[in-house]
Coordinates of all heavy atoms in Angstrom, one line a residue:
M1 N 2.8 14.8 18.3 CA 3.1 14.1 19.5 C 4.5 14.6 20.0 O 5.4 14.7 19.2 CB 3.3 12.6 19.3 CG 2.0 11.9 19.1 SD 2.2 10.1 18.8 CE 2.4 9.5 20.5
P2 N 4.7 14.8 21.3 CA 6.0 15.2 21.8 C 7.0 14.0 21.6 O 6.5 12.9 21.7 CB 5.7 15.5 23.2 CG 4.4 14.8 23.6 CD 3.6 14.7 22.3
Q3 N 8.2 14.4 21.4 CA 9.3 13.4 21.3 C 9.0 12.3 20.3 O 9.3 11.1 20.5 CB 9.5 12.7 22.7 CG 10.0 13.7 23.7 CD 9.9 13.2 25.1 OE1 9.2 12.2 25.4 NE2 10.6 13.8 26.0
A4 N 8.3 12.6 19.2 CA 8.1 11.6 18.2 C 8.4 12.3 16.8 O 8.3 13.5 16.7 CB 6.7 11.1 18.2
D5 N 8.9 11.5 15.9 CA 9.4 12.0 14.6 C 8.6 11.5 13.4 O 8.7 10.3 13.1 CB 10.9 11.6 14.6 CG 11.5 12.0 13.3 OD1 10.8 12.6 12.4 OD2 12.7 11.8 13.2
P6 N 7.7 12.3 12.9 CA 6.9 11.8 11.8 C 7.6 11.3 10.6 O 7.2 10.3 10.0 CB 6.1 13.1 11.4 CG 6.1 14.0 12.5 CD 7.4 13.7 13.2
A7 N 8.8 11.9 10.3 CA 9.6 11.4 9.1 C 10.1 10.0 9.4 O 10.0 9.1 8.6 CB 10.7 12.3 8.8
A8 N 10.5 9.7 10.6 CA 11.0 8.4 11.0 C 9.8 7.4 11.0 O 9.9 6.3 10.7 CB 11.6 8.4 12.4
G9 N 8.6 8.0 11.3 CA 7.4 7.2 11.3 C 7.1 6.7 9.9 O 6.8 5.5 9.7
L10 N 7.2 7.6 8.9 CA 7.0 7.2 7.5 C 8.0 6.1 7.1 O 7.6 5.2 6.4 CB 7.0 8.4 6.6 CG 6.8 8.1 5.1 CD1 5.4 7.4 4.9 CD2 6.9 9.4 4.3
A11 N 9.2 6.3 7.5 CA 10.2 5.3 7.2 C 9.9 3.9 7.8 O 10.0 2.9 7.1 CB 11.6 5.7 7.7
A12 N 9.4 3.9 9.0 CA 9.0 2.7 9.6 C 7.8 2.0 8.9 O 7.7 0.8 8.7 CB 8.7 2.9 11.1
I13 N 6.8 2.9 8.5 CA 5.6 2.4 7.8 C 6.1 1.7 6.5 O 5.6 0.6 6.2 CB 4.7 3.6 7.5 CG1 4.0 4.0 8.8 CG2 3.8 3.3 6.3 CD1 3.2 5.3 8.7
R14 N 7.1 2.3 5.9 CA 7.6 1.7 4.6 C 8.3 0.4 4.9 O 8.1 -0.6 4.2 CB 8.5 2.7 4.0 CG 8.9 2.4 2.6 CD 9.6 3.6 1.9 NE 8.8 4.6 1.4 CZ 8.9 5.9 1.6 NH1 9.8 6.4 2.3 NH2 8.0 6.7 1.1
R15 N 9.1 0.4 6.0 CA 9.9 -0.8 6.3 C 9.0 -2.0 6.6 O 9.3 -3.2 6.2 CB 10.8 -0.5 7.4 CG 11.7 -1.7 7.8 CD 12.7 -1.4 8.9 NE 12.1 -1.0 10.2 CZ 11.6 -1.8 11.1 NH1 11.6 -3.1 10.9 NH2 11.0 -1.3 12.2
V16 N 8.0 -1.8 7.5 CA 7.2 -3.0 7.9 C 6.0 -3.3 7.0 O 5.3 -4.3 7.1 CB 6.7 -2.8 9.4 CG1 7.9 -2.7 10.3 CG2 5.7 -1.7 9.5
G17 N 5.8 -2.4 6.0 CA 4.8 -2.8 4.9 C 3.4 -2.5 5.3 O 2.5 -3.3 4.8
C18 N 3.1 -1.5 6.0 CA 1.7 -1.1 6.3 C 0.9 -0.9 5.0 O -0.3 -1.1 4.9 CB 1.6 0.2 7.1 SG 2.7 0.2 8.5
G19 N 1.6 -0.5 3.9 CA 1.0 -0.2 2.6 C 0.4 -1.4 2.0 O -0.4 -1.3 1.1
S20 N 0.8 -2.6 2.4 CA 0.2 -3.8 1.8 C -1.3 -3.9 2.1 O -2.0 -4.6 1.4 CB 1.0 -5.1 2.2 OG 0.9 -5.2 3.6
C21 N -1.7 -3.3 3.2 CA -3.2 -3.3 3.6 C -3.8 -1.9 3.6 O -5.0 -1.9 3.7 CB -3.3 -3.9 5.0 SG -2.8 -5.7 5.0
H22 N -3.0 -0.9 3.6 CA -3.6 0.5 3.7 C -3.1 1.4 2.6 O -1.9 1.4 2.3 CB -3.2 1.1 5.0 CG -3.7 0.5 6.2 ND1 -5.0 0.6 6.7 CD2 -3.1 -0.3 7.2 CE1 -5.2 0.0 7.8 NE2 -4.1 -0.7 8.1
S23 N -4.0 2.3 2.2 CA -3.5 3.4 1.3 C -3.1 4.5 2.3 O -3.8 5.0 3.1 CB -4.8 3.9 0.5 OG -4.5 5.2 0.0
I24 N -1.8 4.9 2.1 CA -1.2 5.9 3.0 C -0.5 7.0 2.2 O 0.4 6.6 1.4 CB -0.2 5.2 4.0 CG1 -0.9 4.1 4.8 CG2 0.4 6.2 4.9 CD1 0.1 3.3 5.6
P25 N -0.9 8.2 2.4 CA -0.2 9.3 1.7 C 1.3 9.3 2.0 O 1.7 9.0 3.1 CB -0.8 10.6 2.3 CG -2.1 10.2 2.8 CD -2.0 8.8 3.3
G26 N 2.2 9.5 1.0 CA 3.6 9.4 1.2 C 4.2 8.1 0.8 O 5.4 8.0 0.6
L27 N 3.3 7.1 0.6 CA 3.7 5.8 0.1 C 3.0 5.7 -1.3 O 1.8 5.7 -1.4 CB 3.1 4.7 0.9 CG 3.8 4.2 2.2 CD1 3.1 2.9 2.6 CD2 5.3 4.0 2.0
S28 N 3.9 5.6 -2.4 CA 3.2 5.6 -3.7 C 2.8 4.1 -4.0 O 1.9 3.9 -4.8 CB 4.1 6.1 -4.7 OG 5.4 5.5 -4.7
W29 N 3.5 3.2 -3.3 CA 3.2 1.7 -3.6 C 3.7 0.9 -2.4 O 4.8 1.3 -1.9 CB 4.0 1.3 -4.9 CG 3.7 -0.1 -5.2 CD1 2.7 -0.6 -6.1 CD2 4.4 -1.3 -4.8 NE1 2.7 -1.9 -6.1 CE2 3.8 -2.4 -5.4 CE3 5.5 -1.5 -4.0 CZ2 4.2 -3.7 -5.2 CZ3 6.0 -2.7 -3.8 CH2 5.3 -3.9 -4.3
P30 N 3.0 -0.1 -2.0 CA 1.7 -0.5 -2.5 C 0.6 0.3 -1.8 O 0.9 1.0 -0.9 CB 1.6 -2.0 -2.1 CG 2.5 -2.1 -0.8 CD 3.6 -1.0 -1.0
K31 N -0.6 0.2 -2.4 CA -1.7 0.9 -1.7 C -2.8 -0.2 -1.5 O -3.7 -0.4 -2.3 CB -2.3 2.0 -2.6 CG -1.4 3.2 -2.6 CD -2.1 4.5 -3.0 CE -1.3 5.7 -3.0 NZ -1.0 6.2 -1.6
G32 N -2.6 -1.0 -0.4 CA -3.5 -2.1 -0.2 C -4.9 -1.7 0.2 O -5.1 -0.5 0.6
E33 N -5.8 -2.6 0.1 CA -7.2 -2.2 0.3 C -7.9 -3.1 1.4 O -9.1 -3.0 1.6 CB -8.0 -2.3 -1.0 CG -7.5 -1.2 -1.9 CD -8.3 -1.1 -3.2 OE1 -9.1 -2.0 -3.5 OE2 -8.1 -0.1 -3.9
L34 N -7.1 -4.0 2.0 CA -7.7 -4.8 3.0 C -8.2 -4.0 4.2 O -9.2 -4.2 4.8 CB -6.7 -5.9 3.5 CG -7.2 -6.9 4.5 CD1 -8.3 -7.8 3.9 CD2 -6.0 -7.8 4.9
G35 N -7.3 -3.0 4.6 CA -7.7 -2.1 5.7 C -8.2 -0.8 5.2 O -8.1 -0.5 4.0
P36 N -8.8 0.0 6.1 CA -9.3 1.3 5.7 C -8.2 2.2 5.2 O -7.0 2.1 5.7 CB -9.9 1.9 7.0 CG -9.4 1.1 8.1 CD -9.0 -0.3 7.5
A37 N -8.5 3.1 4.2 CA -7.5 4.1 3.8 C -7.2 5.0 5.0 O -8.1 5.4 5.7 CB -8.1 4.9 2.6
L38 N -6.0 5.4 5.1 CA -5.6 6.3 6.2 C -5.3 7.7 5.8 O -4.7 8.5 6.5 CB -4.3 5.7 6.9 CG -4.5 4.3 7.4 CD1 -3.2 3.8 8.0 CD2 -5.6 4.2 8.4
D39 N -5.9 8.1 4.6 CA -5.5 9.4 4.0 C -5.9 10.6 4.9 O -5.3 11.6 4.8 CB -6.3 9.6 2.7 CG -5.9 8.4 1.7 OD1 -6.3 7.3 2.0 OD2 -5.3 8.7 0.7
R40 N -7.0 10.4 5.7 CA -7.4 11.5 6.6 C -7.5 11.1 8.0 O -8.4 11.5 8.8 CB -8.7 12.1 6.1 CG -8.6 12.7 4.8 CD -9.8 13.4 4.3 NE -9.6 14.0 3.0 CZ -10.5 14.5 2.2 NH1 -11.7 14.5 2.6 NH2 -10.1 15.0 1.1
F41 N -6.6 10.2 8.4 CA -6.8 9.6 9.7 C -6.7 10.6 10.8 O -7.4 10.5 11.8 CB -5.7 8.5 9.9 CG -5.8 7.8 11.2 CD1 -6.8 6.9 11.4 CD2 -5.0 8.2 12.3 CE1 -7.0 6.2 12.6 CE2 -5.3 7.6 13.5 CZ -6.2 6.6 13.7
G42 N -5.9 11.7 10.6 CA -5.8 12.7 11.7 C -7.1 13.4 12.0 O -7.2 14.0 13.1
D43 N -8.1 13.3 11.1 CA -9.4 14.0 11.4 C -10.4 13.1 12.1 O -11.5 13.5 12.5 CB -10.1 14.4 10.1 CG -9.3 15.5 9.4 OD1 -8.7 16.3 10.0 OD2 -9.4 15.5 8.1
Q44 N -10.0 11.8 12.3 CA -11.0 10.8 12.9 C -11.1 10.9 14.4 O -10.0 11.1 15.0 CB -10.6 9.4 12.5 CG -10.9 9.1 11.1 CD -10.5 7.7 10.7 OE1 -10.2 7.4 9.5 NE2 -10.6 6.7 11.6
G45 N -12.2 10.7 14.9 CA -12.4 10.7 16.4 C -12.1 9.3 17.0 O -11.8 9.3 18.2
M46 N -12.2 8.3 16.2 CA -12.1 6.9 16.7 C -11.0 6.2 15.9 O -10.8 6.4 14.8 CB -13.4 6.2 16.6 CG -14.6 6.8 17.3 SD -14.6 6.7 19.0 CE -15.4 5.2 19.2
I47 N -10.5 5.2 16.6 CA -9.6 4.2 15.9 C -10.4 2.9 15.8 O -10.9 2.4 16.8 CB -8.3 3.9 16.8 CG1 -7.5 5.2 17.1 CG2 -7.4 2.9 16.1 CD1 -6.5 5.0 18.2
A48 N -10.4 2.4 14.6 CA -11.1 1.1 14.3 C -12.6 1.2 14.8 O -13.2 0.2 15.2 CB -10.4 -0.1 14.9
G49 N -13.1 2.4 14.9 CA -14.5 2.6 15.2 C -14.9 2.4 16.7 O -16.0 2.5 17.1
R50 N -13.9 2.0 17.5 CA -14.2 1.8 18.9 C -13.2 2.2 20.0 O -13.5 2.1 21.1 CB -14.5 0.3 19.1 CG -13.4 -0.6 18.8 CD -13.9 -2.0 18.6 NE -13.7 -2.4 17.2 CZ -13.9 -3.6 16.7 NH1 -14.3 -4.5 17.5 NH2 -13.7 -3.8 15.5
L51 N -12.1 2.8 19.6 CA -11.1 3.3 20.6 C -11.0 4.8 20.4 O -11.0 5.3 19.3 CB -9.7 2.6 20.3 CG -9.6 1.1 20.4 CD1 -8.3 0.6 19.8 CD2 -9.8 0.6 21.8
P52 N -10.8 5.5 21.5 CA -10.6 7.0 21.3 C -9.3 7.2 20.6 O -8.3 6.6 20.9 CB -10.5 7.5 22.8 CG -10.2 6.3 23.6 CD -10.7 5.1 22.9
N53 N -9.3 8.2 19.6 CA -8.1 8.5 18.9 C -7.2 9.4 19.6 O -7.2 10.6 19.4 CB -8.5 9.0 17.5 CG -7.4 9.1 16.5 OD1 -6.3 8.7 16.9 ND2 -7.6 9.5 15.3
R54 N -6.5 8.8 20.5 CA -5.5 9.6 21.3 C -4.1 9.0 21.0 O -3.9 7.8 20.7 CB -5.7 9.4 22.8 CG -7.0 9.9 23.3 CD -6.9 10.1 24.9 NE -6.2 9.0 25.5 CZ -6.7 8.0 26.3 NH1 -8.0 8.1 26.6 NH2 -5.9 7.1 26.8
P55 N -3.0 9.9 21.1 CA -1.7 9.5 20.8 C -1.2 8.2 21.5 O -0.7 7.3 20.8 CB -0.8 10.6 21.2 CG -1.7 11.8 21.1 CD -3.1 11.3 21.5
D56 N -1.5 8.0 22.7 CA -1.0 6.8 23.5 C -1.7 5.6 23.0 O -1.1 4.5 22.8 CB -1.1 7.0 25.0 CG -2.6 7.4 25.4 OD1 -3.3 8.1 24.6 OD2 -3.0 7.0 26.5
V57 N -3.0 5.7 22.8 CA -3.8 4.6 22.3 C -3.4 4.2 20.9 O -3.2 3.0 20.6 CB -5.3 4.9 22.3 CG1 -6.2 3.7 21.9 CG2 -5.8 5.3 23.8
L58 N -3.2 5.2 20.0 CA -2.8 4.9 18.6 C -1.4 4.2 18.6 O -1.2 3.3 17.8 CB -2.8 6.2 17.8 CG -2.4 6.0 16.3 CD1 -3.4 5.1 15.6 CD2 -2.4 7.4 15.6
A59 N -0.5 4.7 19.4 CA 0.9 4.1 19.4 C 0.8 2.6 19.8 O 1.5 1.8 19.3 CB 1.8 4.9 20.3
H60 N -0.1 2.3 20.8 CA -0.3 1.0 21.2 C -1.0 0.2 20.1 O -0.6 -0.9 19.7 CB -1.2 1.0 22.5 CG -1.3 -0.4 23.1 ND1 -1.9 -0.5 24.4 CD2 -0.9 -1.6 22.7 CE1 -1.9 -1.8 24.7 NE2 -1.3 -2.5 23.7
F61 N -2.0 0.8 19.5 CA -2.8 0.1 18.4 C -1.9 -0.3 17.2 O -2.0 -1.5 16.7 CB -4.0 1.0 18.0 CG -4.8 0.3 16.9 CD1 -5.9 -0.5 17.2 CD2 -4.5 0.6 15.5 CE1 -6.6 -1.1 16.2 CE2 -5.3 0.0 14.5 CZ -6.3 -0.9 14.9
V62 N -1.1 0.6 16.7 CA -0.3 0.2 15.5 C 0.7 -0.9 15.7 O 1.1 -1.6 14.8 CB 0.4 1.5 14.8 CG1 -0.6 2.5 14.4 CG2 1.4 2.1 15.8
R63 N 1.0 -1.1 17.0 CA 2.0 -2.1 17.3 C 1.3 -3.4 17.8 O 1.8 -4.5 17.5 CB 2.8 -1.5 18.5 CG 4.1 -2.3 18.8 CD 5.0 -1.4 19.7 NE 6.1 -2.2 20.1 CZ 6.3 -2.5 21.4 NH1 5.5 -2.0 22.3 NH2 7.3 -3.3 21.7
R64 N 0.2 -3.3 18.5 CA -0.4 -4.5 19.1 C -1.9 -4.4 19.0 O -2.6 -4.5 20.0 CB -0.1 -4.5 20.6 CG 1.4 -4.6 21.0 CD 1.8 -6.0 21.2 NE 3.2 -6.0 21.7 CZ 4.3 -6.1 20.9 NH1 4.1 -6.1 19.6 NH2 5.5 -6.1 21.4
A65 N -2.4 -4.2 17.8 CA -3.9 -4.0 17.6 C -4.7 -5.2 18.2 O -5.7 -4.9 18.9 CB -4.2 -3.9 16.1
P66 N -4.3 -6.4 18.1 CA -5.2 -7.5 18.7 C -5.3 -7.4 20.2 O -6.3 -7.9 20.7 CB -4.5 -8.8 18.2 CG -3.7 -8.4 17.0 CD -3.2 -7.0 17.3
E67 N -4.4 -6.8 20.9 CA -4.5 -6.6 22.3 C -5.7 -5.7 22.6 O -6.3 -5.8 23.7 CB -3.2 -6.0 22.9 CG -2.2 -7.0 23.4 CD -1.0 -6.3 23.9 OE1 -1.1 -5.1 24.4 OE2 0.1 -6.9 23.8
L68 N -5.9 -4.6 21.8 CA -6.9 -3.6 22.1 C -8.2 -4.0 21.5 O -9.3 -3.6 22.0 CB -6.4 -2.3 21.5 CG -5.2 -1.7 22.2 CD1 -4.8 -0.4 21.6 CD2 -5.4 -1.5 23.7
V69 N -8.2 -4.7 20.3 CA -9.4 -5.0 19.6 C -9.4 -6.5 19.3 O -8.9 -6.9 18.2 CB -9.5 -4.2 18.3 CG1 -10.8 -4.5 17.6 CG2 -9.4 -2.7 18.5
P70 N -9.8 -7.3 20.3 CA -9.7 -8.8 20.1 C -10.5 -9.2 18.8 O -11.6 -8.6 18.6 CB -10.4 -9.3 21.3 CG -10.2 -8.2 22.4 CD -10.3 -6.9 21.6
G71 N -9.9 -10.0 18.0 CA -10.6 -10.5 16.8 C -10.4 -9.6 15.6 O -10.9 -9.9 14.5
T72 N -9.6 -8.5 15.7 CA -9.5 -7.6 14.6 C -8.6 -8.3 13.6 O -7.7 -9.2 13.9 CB -8.8 -6.3 15.0 OG1 -8.7 -5.4 13.9 CG2 -7.4 -6.5 15.6
T73 N -8.7 -7.9 12.3 CA -7.9 -8.4 11.3 C -6.6 -7.6 11.1 O -5.8 -7.9 10.3 CB -8.6 -8.5 9.9 OG1 -9.5 -7.4 9.8 CG2 -9.4 -9.8 9.9
M74 N -6.5 -6.5 11.9 CA -5.2 -5.7 11.8 C -4.2 -6.5 12.7 O -4.5 -6.7 13.9 CB -5.6 -4.3 12.4 CG -4.4 -3.5 12.9 SD -3.5 -2.6 11.6 CE -2.1 -2.1 12.6
P75 N -3.1 -6.9 12.1 CA -2.2 -7.7 12.9 C -1.3 -6.9 13.8 O -1.1 -5.7 13.6 CB -1.4 -8.4 11.8 CG -1.4 -7.4 10.7 CD -2.7 -6.7 10.7
A76 N -0.7 -7.6 14.8 CA 0.5 -6.9 15.5 C 1.6 -6.7 14.5 O 1.8 -7.5 13.6 CB 0.9 -7.8 16.6
M77 N 2.3 -5.6 14.7 CA 3.3 -5.2 13.7 C 4.7 -5.1 14.4 O 4.7 -4.7 15.6 CB 3.0 -3.9 13.0 CG 1.7 -4.0 12.1 SD 1.8 -5.1 10.8 CE 3.0 -4.3 9.7
P78 N 5.8 -5.5 13.7 CA 7.1 -5.5 14.3 C 7.7 -4.1 14.4 O 8.6 -3.8 13.7 CB 7.9 -6.4 13.4 CG 7.3 -6.2 12.1 CD 5.8 -6.0 12.3
L79 N 7.2 -3.3 15.3 CA 7.7 -1.9 15.6 C 8.2 -1.9 17.0 O 7.5 -2.5 17.9 CB 6.5 -0.9 15.4 CG 5.9 -0.8 14.1 CD1 4.6 0.0 14.2 CD2 6.8 -0.1 13.1
S80 N 9.2 -1.1 17.3 CA 9.6 -0.8 18.6 C 8.6 0.2 19.2 O 7.8 0.8 18.5 CB 11.0 -0.2 18.7 OG 11.0 1.1 18.1
E81 N 8.7 0.4 20.5 CA 7.8 1.5 21.1 C 8.0 2.8 20.5 O 7.1 3.6 20.3 CB 8.0 1.5 22.6 CG 7.1 0.5 23.4 CD 7.3 0.6 24.9 OE1 7.3 1.7 25.4 OE2 7.5 -0.5 25.5
K82 N 9.3 3.2 20.3 CA 9.6 4.5 19.7 C 9.1 4.6 18.3 O 8.5 5.6 18.0 CB 11.2 4.6 19.8 CG 11.8 5.6 18.8 CD 12.0 6.9 19.4 CE 12.7 7.9 18.6 NZ 12.1 8.3 17.3
E83 N 9.3 3.5 17.5 CA 8.8 3.5 16.2 C 7.3 3.7 16.2 O 6.7 4.4 15.3 CB 9.2 2.2 15.4 CG 10.7 2.2 15.0 CD 11.1 0.8 14.5 OE1 10.5 -0.2 15.0 OE2 12.0 0.8 13.7
A84 N 6.6 3.0 17.1 CA 5.2 3.1 17.1 C 4.7 4.5 17.4 O 3.7 5.0 16.8 CB 4.6 2.1 18.2
R85 N 5.4 5.2 18.3 CA 5.1 6.6 18.5 C 5.4 7.5 17.3 O 4.6 8.4 17.0 CB 5.9 7.2 19.7 CG 5.4 6.7 21.1 CD 6.0 7.5 22.2 NE 7.4 7.5 22.3 CZ 8.2 6.6 22.9 NH1 7.6 5.6 23.5 NH2 9.5 6.7 22.9
D86 N 6.5 7.2 16.6 CA 6.8 7.9 15.4 C 5.7 7.7 14.3 O 5.3 8.6 13.6 CB 8.2 7.5 14.8 CG 9.3 7.9 15.7 OD1 9.1 8.8 16.6 OD2 10.4 7.3 15.5
V87 N 5.3 6.4 14.2 CA 4.2 6.1 13.2 C 2.9 6.8 13.6 O 2.3 7.5 12.7 CB 4.0 4.6 13.2 CG1 2.7 4.2 12.5 CG2 5.1 3.8 12.6
A88 N 2.6 6.9 14.9 CA 1.4 7.6 15.3 C 1.5 9.1 14.9 O 0.6 9.7 14.4 CB 1.2 7.4 16.8
A89 N 2.7 9.7 15.2 CA 2.9 11.1 14.8 C 2.7 11.3 13.3 O 2.1 12.3 12.9 CB 4.3 11.5 15.3
Y90 N 3.2 10.4 12.5 CA 3.0 10.5 11.1 C 1.5 10.5 10.7 O 1.0 11.3 10.0 CB 3.8 9.5 10.3 CG 3.6 9.7 8.8 CD1 4.2 10.8 8.2 CD2 2.8 8.9 8.0 CE1 4.0 11.1 6.8 CE2 2.6 9.2 6.7 CZ 3.2 10.3 6.1 OH 3.0 10.6 4.8
L91 N 0.8 9.5 11.3 CA -0.6 9.4 11.0 C -1.4 10.7 11.4 O -2.4 11.0 10.7 CB -1.2 8.2 11.7 CG -0.7 6.8 11.2 CD1 -1.3 5.7 12.0 CD2 -0.9 6.6 9.7
Y92 N -1.0 11.4 12.4 CA -1.6 12.6 12.8 C -1.4 13.8 11.9 O -2.1 14.8 11.9 CB -1.3 13.0 14.3 CG -2.0 12.1 15.3 CD1 -1.4 11.5 16.3 CD2 -3.4 11.9 15.2 CE1 -2.0 10.7 17.2 CE2 -4.1 11.1 16.1 CZ -3.4 10.5 17.1 OH -4.0 9.7 18.0
T93 N -0.4 13.6 11.0 CA -0.1 14.7 10.0 C -1.1 14.5 8.8 O -1.2 15.4 8.0 CB 1.3 14.6 9.4 OG1 1.4 13.5 8.6 CG2 2.3 14.7 10.5
L94 N -1.9 13.4 8.8 CA -2.8 13.1 7.6 C -4.1 13.7 7.9 O -5.0 13.2 8.5 CB -2.9 11.6 7.4 CG -1.5 10.9 7.2 CD1 -1.7 9.4 7.1 CD2 -0.7 11.5 6.1
R95 N -4.3 15.0 7.4 CA -5.6 15.7 7.6 C -6.0 16.3 6.3 O -5.3 16.5 5.4 CB -5.3 16.8 8.6 CG -4.6 16.4 9.8 CD -4.6 17.5 10.9 NE -5.9 17.5 11.5 CZ -6.1 17.1 12.8 NH1 -5.1 16.8 13.5 NH2 -7.3 17.2 13.3
S96 N -7.3 16.6 6.3 CA -7.9 17.1 5.1 C -7.5 18.6 4.8 O -7.6 19.1 3.7 CB -9.4 17.0 5.0 OG -9.9 17.6 6.2
R97 N -7.0 19.3 5.9 CA -6.6 20.6 5.6 C -5.5 21.0 6.6 O -5.3 20.2 7.6 CB -7.7 21.7 5.7 CG -8.4 21.7 7.1 CD -9.7 22.4 7.1 NE -10.5 21.9 8.2 CZ -10.4 22.5 9.5 NH1 -9.6 23.5 9.7 NH2 -11.2 22.0 10.4
Ligands
LIG1 C1 -2.6 -7.5 7.1 C2 -3.1 -6.2 6.8 C3 -2.8 -5.0 7.6 C4 -1.5 -4.6 7.9 C5 -0.2 -5.1 7.4 C6 -1.7 -3.3 8.7 N1 -3.0 -3.1 8.9 FE1 -3.8 -1.5 9.9 N2 -5.6 -2.3 9.7 C7 -6.0 -3.5 9.0 C8 -7.4 -3.8 9.1 C9 -8.1 -4.9 8.5 C10 -7.9 -2.7 9.9 C11 -9.4 -2.5 10.4 C12 -9.4 -3.1 11.8 C13 -10.7 -3.1 12.5 O1 -11.6 -2.3 12.2 O2 -10.8 -3.9 13.4 C14 -6.8 -1.8 10.2 C15 -6.9 -0.7 11.0 C16 -5.9 0.3 11.1 C17 -6.1 1.6 11.7 C18 -7.4 2.2 12.2 C19 -8.1 2.8 11.0 C20 -9.3 3.5 11.2 O3 -9.9 4.1 10.3 O4 -9.8 3.5 12.4 C21 -4.9 2.2 11.7 C22 -4.5 3.6 12.2 C23 -3.9 1.2 11.1 N3 -4.6 0.1 10.8 C24 -2.6 1.5 10.9 C25 -1.7 0.6 10.4 C26 -0.3 0.8 10.4 C27 0.4 2.1 10.8 C28 0.3 -0.4 10.0 C29 1.8 -0.7 9.8 C30 2.5 -0.5 11.1 C31 -0.8 -1.3 9.7 N4 -2.0 -0.7 10.0 C32 -0.6 -2.5 9.1 C33 -5.1 -4.3 8.3 C34 -3.7 -4.1 8.3

């Protein structure tokens, strides 16, 4: 993503505790299992099975998932808009090759 910093994204992921529900490369602990593993998220075409996997949509989703997917168990997370873009940039680095 332009103007986004994957390393800062990983730091934000660690700070807000995404690992309590997701297995995320770069985080050795915790590796939660309530949410889907994000190990190859960059290869996916969809977010949560129903949203197009685009940078703007992903940055919105990681910060305010219930706004986009009513009834989802993925909670809103305390990220700034900039941090949400950084987190999205980090998630796009997670590919199988
Ligand atoms: C309380 C547990 C919980 C926390 C904390 C959490 N998530 Fe989730 N997350 C979920 C669940 C459950 C889903 C599945 C949502 C659905 O399908 O409706 C999900 C879905 C996702 C998805 C879509 C995955 C896919 O395969 O389509 C992404 C990306 C994601 N979360 C990223 C994050 C990030 C980044 C954070 C931290 C900012 C985070 N999550 C924090 C529970 C959580």
